[in-house]
Amino acid sequence: MTRSEDTLSPGMSALVTGGSRGLGLLIAGELAGRGCEVTILARDSEELARAMGWIRRRTGRTVRAVVCDVRDEGAVTAAVDEAAAAYGGLDVVIANAGVIQVAPAETAGSRAFHDAMATIFDGTLYTCLAALPHLRRSPHGGRLGLIGSVGALVSPPHLVPYSCAKAAVRALGEGLQAETAGSAVSVTTVHPGLMRTGSHLQAEFGGQAEEEYAWFSTLSGTPVLSMDAERAAEKVVQAVERRRTRAVLTPAARLASVAHGVAPAATTRATGLAARTLPHPPRDDNPHPLRQGHALSSPRTPWRRALNKAGRALNDRASHRYNQRTPGPPTSA
């Protein structure tokens, strides 16, 4: 079978993991708006119900929702097979589910690395393995999209567990693209930079948690440094639609990728300088468990609090728009 049209046609079947909020919700809405029959997967049934209503109001279309923990391979396989059975196959699958932990690596500890790998990498791997047999049978030529990150291209300080998992996703995407070359299936890996999705409320913070929350929410909500989430979702769908092998979103992410490719040692030194401006690990032996952003307050220092409030404004609005406000298990980056 050869690949057919390079556009998404109404009636195509699509599945998005981590589709209940943030970027995943917007990707699902973008696909539904193009006439696709969409299934969204996430862990929280209440979030999924709100997401279904959000997409219906936005596009006038109804999507299917399946409660699924992407860390469970059997559950992922069953959910993918169920979606394929409901719509007579699968044409587009986008693996988006993820978590974000913000803390110095030694403070985050090994558990944070295992959690990041389980959700981001294992979840993506299970989705790919379950989806590929269905995508190979798609009469349109299947499309598989993997959501990576600029953190897969340049590892920023205080985001090391996330970056390690996203780097594994990058390797998986590139390897699968090579293995499917010449077939009807295309594999696209998209590496977004900072986006205004409201994810600062669902991210997990450790060490000096309030200070970590302050810098992350400020940068991820600052125009120029961060990208409008709806524009990002549109770019993701376009890249998958056009069967691009790789797409890097935001000028800052592209610059970081090029700089690391040309001068990796200098780029690593630069990130080391940036690390000196970030909160230091606590100087005690007490445990400092990770806490989600919705449970944290702004930093105590007045000028830092004012800066954080200004930089966070757009991101806070995004959290209301994109189903991020209610506490729950993190399912979408």
Side-chain angles (χ1 to χ4, degrees):
M1 182 187 297
T2 58
R3 296 173 183 172
S4 58
E5 67 270 21
D6 286 332
T7 58
L8 297 178
S9 305
M12 285 186 176
S13 172
L15 179 145
V16 182
T17 68
S20 64
R21 63 174 180 248
L23 181 62
L25 173 64
L26 288 164
I27 290 171
E30 182 74 18
L31 290 166
R34 291 168 180 248
C36 293
E37 303 291 351
V38 179
T39 299
I40 56 175
L41 272 55
R43 282 187 268 176
D44 190 303
S45 60
E46 293 183 2
E47 274 189 1
L48 284 167
R50 291 196 301 271
M52 293 173 69
W54 186 94
I55 294 172
R56 189 183 307 113
R57 291 190 299 273
R58 188 99 178 227
T59 68
R61 296 184 61 84
T62 299
V63 301
R64 295 180 69 257
V66 179
V67 176
C68 177
D69 185 343
V70 296
R71 298 170 300 180
D72 182 336
E73 184 173 11
V76 173
T77 300
V80 171
D81 289 348
E82 180 184 334
Y87 293 123
L90 277 174
D91 305 302
V92 181
V93 172
I94 298 182
N96 166 78
V99 293
I100 303 174
Q101 300 108 330
V102 186
E106 62 185 289
T107 301
S110 62
R111 181 175 178 178
F113 286 83
H114 292 310
D115 287 347
M117 289 298 294
T119 301
I120 295 172
F121 177 68
D122 290 349
T124 299
L125 173 64
Y126 299 155
T127 302
C128 292
L129 295 179
L132 279 168
H134 297 290
L135 294 175
R136 292 184 186 280
R137 293 192 288 270
S138 168
H140 307 281
R143 293 169 169 87
L144 178 61
L146 281 57
I147 304 301
S149 170
V150 63
L153 311 174
V154 180
S155 184
H158 294 218
L159 285 164
V160 181
Y162 175 81
S163 293
C164 288
K166 288 294 189 180
V169 169
R170 183 189 73 173
L172 176 65
E174 292 174 356
L176 290 178
Q177 170 61 17
E179 292 187 0
T180 57
S183 75
V185 176
S186 59
V187 181
T188 300
T189 307
V190 183
H191 299 292
L194 292 169
M195 297 173 291
R196 297 188 292 277
T197 63
S199 63
H200 63 297
L201 294 181
Q202 299 292 345
E204 299 173 305
F205 300 86
Q208 298 189 55
E210 284 80 6
E211 300 294 328
E212 299 285 358
Y213 173 77
W215 78 258
F216 181 81
S217 58
T218 298
L219 291 184
S220 62
T222 302
V224 180
L225 291 178
S226 65
M227 187 176 193
D228 175 78
E230 298 194 27
R231 180 64 173 157
E234 181 184 1
K235 288 288 189 182
V236 169
V237 173
Q238 285 179 352
V240 172
E241 178 180 46
R242 296 170 183 173
R243 303 184 185 278
R244 294 178 59 185
T245 298
R246 168 171 146 160
V248 181
L249 308 185
T250 80
R254 287 193 290 270
L255 177 61
S257 174
V258 171
H260 190 269
V262 173
T267 304
T268 301
R269 284 195 295 271
T271 59
L273 292 174
R276 298 180 190 180
T277 69
L278 298 179
H280 297 294
R283 297 180 179 180
D284 57 52
D285 295 327
N286 297 323
H288 293 270
L290 298 177
R291 291 183 287 163
Q292 285 189 313
H294 61 75
L296 299 172
S297 58
S298 296
R300 296 186 181 90
T301 309
W303 71 268
R304 287 187 177 179
R305 187 164 57 246
L307 179 63
N308 177 237
K309 184 177 180 180
R312 216 180 58 207
L314 290 175
N315 228 359
D316 281 347
R317 287 180 212 151
S319 69
H320 285 282
R321 289 195 195 105
Y322 309 138
N323 206 19
Q324 299 273 22
R325 294 299 299 186
T326 302
T331 59
S332 180

